Amino acid sequence: MRRALVVLVALVFGAPAPGTAAAQGRTSKTLDIYVVDVEGGNATLIVSPTGESLLIDTGNPSNGRDAERIIAAAKDAGLTQIDHLIITHYHADHIGGLPELLPRFPIRHFIDHGPNIDPMGSGAKFEADYKEMYAKAKHTVARPGVRIPIDGIDVRVVTSNGDVIKTPLGGAGAPNPYCASFKPGTNNLEDPMSVGVHITFGRFRTIHLGDLTKNKEVELMCPSNRLGAVDAILGVHHGQATSNSEVIIHALRPHVVIMNNGTRKGGEPEVMQTLFTSPGLEDLWQIHFSLLSGQEHTVPGMFIANVADDNPAALPVAPMPAPQPGANVPPPPAHNGPAYWIKLSAQQDGTYSVANARNGFSKTYKP
C-alpha cells in the first residue's frame, strides 16, 4: 500500500420473522456495511440485500450520542428495526449504548457469548439490564460453527466464549506460514470471549472478530488458516496492539481494513506497521485520525472519516504515548462537529466500494 504523510487541518438462531425484509422497505442489490463513529467503541451495522439487518455492538454509554449515530445509519439504510444484535463481549464501549438505543429502535434478536466472566469489567454494570432486555425478545448464545440465518448472506460464527471453529471454512485450511514467528500478547478477561463472525455475499468475504486478542487469534489461525482469505477486515480491535498479529492480518490477506479507532484510542504504531506490511493490502480506512499514530503512521486524509476534534493548529508528526488508565487521565478531545461513518457496499460478483461520509471520497475494489 502506498502511503503519504498528511496534515489534516479541517478536518440455531431461528428463522427470520415473516415479512421482516419487506417491512424494512429495501430494494438495494448490495450488501451494505456501516462502520459508525462511536468514539473508539464499536457499532457496525450490516444490511443484507433483502433488508435484513445485523448490528454488531452498540458503542459507549454517552447520553444518547452513540444511539443517535447508530439510528442515523439505520435510517440511511431504510431500516425500522434491528433484526439481530450481536454483543461481542461485555465491555462498556461495546454494550454501553444499548440502554439508550433499545427504547428508540426495536431489536428482535439478541446474540452474545453467554454470561459475562469479568464482574469487575467496564461493562459488568450493564449485564442485569441486558438480561431484562433480551428476556422480552429472542436470545441466543453463539457457538462457533453455527450460522446466523440472515436472508441473502451467509453469516458464520467463528469465535465465541473463548472457543474457535475447529473445521476450516470452505476453501480454507492451508498451513499458515506466520505461525512460526508468533509472539503471545496480553489478555484481559472479556476480550478473548468475543463473538466473531465471517460473512459471505456471493464472492465477497469479510470478517468482524470483536476485540479478539492475539492469543485467541493464534488458536483460530494456527497451525492451519481456518478462514482462508477475505476482501475486508472490519474493526481490528480499534487498532490496538493486544490484537492484530501477523498470523491473522497477513494470513487473511485483506485488500481493505476499516479501523474503528478513536482520536486517542487505537491506531497504535505496532498495529499500523502490521497492517501496512500485510500482503495485498490496498487501503486502510480509519474512523478517526489517531494521535497515537501521528502522521508517521497514518493514511492520507481522504481515508479518514473524522478529523481532529479541536482543530489544532498542527497535528503531531510523531506518535503520542498512549494515556495510562486511571481516574485522573484527561479526557480525549471533545467531538465538536458532525460524526461520519465509513460505508462499504458489496455486489454479489465480489466488487465492492468503500465511501467516506465526511468528504464523499469513495473507491471501488475488484474481487
Side-chain angles (χ1 to χ4, degrees), residues 34-38 41-45 55-59 70 93 260:
Y34 295 78
V35 180
V36 181
D37 174 24
V38 288
N42 182 64
T44 303
L45 177 64
L55 176 63
I56 303 178
D57 294 327
T58 61
I70 294 167
D93 58 328
N260 56 4

Side-chain angles (χ1 to χ4, degrees), residues 57-63 66 87 89 91-101 122-123 126:
D57 294 327
T58 61
N60 294 279
S62 52
N63 295 320
D66 289 359
I87 296 296
H89 61 294
H91 280 163
D93 58 328
H94 293 254
I95 193 174
L98 180 57
E100 299 154 355
L101 175 65
S122 64
F126 298 100

Side-chain angles (χ1 to χ4, degrees), residues 200-283:
T200 303
F201 173 52
R203 294 179 61 191
F204 175 79
R205 285 161 175 74
T206 188
I207 194 162
H208 193 301
L209 297 178
D211 286 357
L212 197 74
T213 53
K214 288 179 177 178
N215 297 341
K216 286 298 174 182
E217 292 171 354
V218 73
E219 290 184 26
L220 176 63
M221 299 294 288
C222 292
S224 62
N225 176 353
R226 297 182 179 95
L227 302 180
V230 299
D231 297 285
I233 301 179
L234 307 170
V236 292
H237 192 176
H238 323 293
Q240 297 190 103
T242 53
S243 304
N244 302 302
S245 61
E246 290 183 357
V247 297
I248 195 159
I249 300 296
H250 288 203
L252 291 177
R253 300 182 66 90
H255 294 156
V256 163
V257 172
I258 304 177
M259 179 187 293
N260 56 4
N261 66 300
T263 303
R264 208 178 57 186
K265 179 180 178 181
E268 297 173 14
E270 176 185 333
V271 175
M272 304 297 267
Q273 292 281 22
T274 300
L275 295 173
F276 291 143
T277 58
S278 182
L281 184 76
E282 292 188 48
D283 295 305

Side-chain angles (χ1 to χ4, degrees), residues 83 91 108 126 171 175 196 198 201 218 243 286 293-295 311 346 349:
D83 297 308
H91 280 163
R108 193 172 59 85
F126 298 100
H198 180 278
F201 173 52
V218 73
S243 304
Q286 296 177 218
S293 62
Q295 294 186 62
N311 289 331
D349 68 358

Side-chain angles (χ1 to χ4, degrees), residues 1 3 7 31 76 128-129 132 148 150-151 186 188 196 221 233 240 255 267 269 284 298 306 322 348:
M1 172 181 175
R3 298 188 289 125
V7 176
L31 164 65
D76 187 79
D129 289 341
E132 292 185 8
I148 301 173
I150 297 179
D151 192 25
T186 58
N188 56 39
M221 299 294 288
I233 301 179
Q240 297 190 103
H255 294 156
L284 167 65
T298 194
N306 295 281
Q348 196 159 21

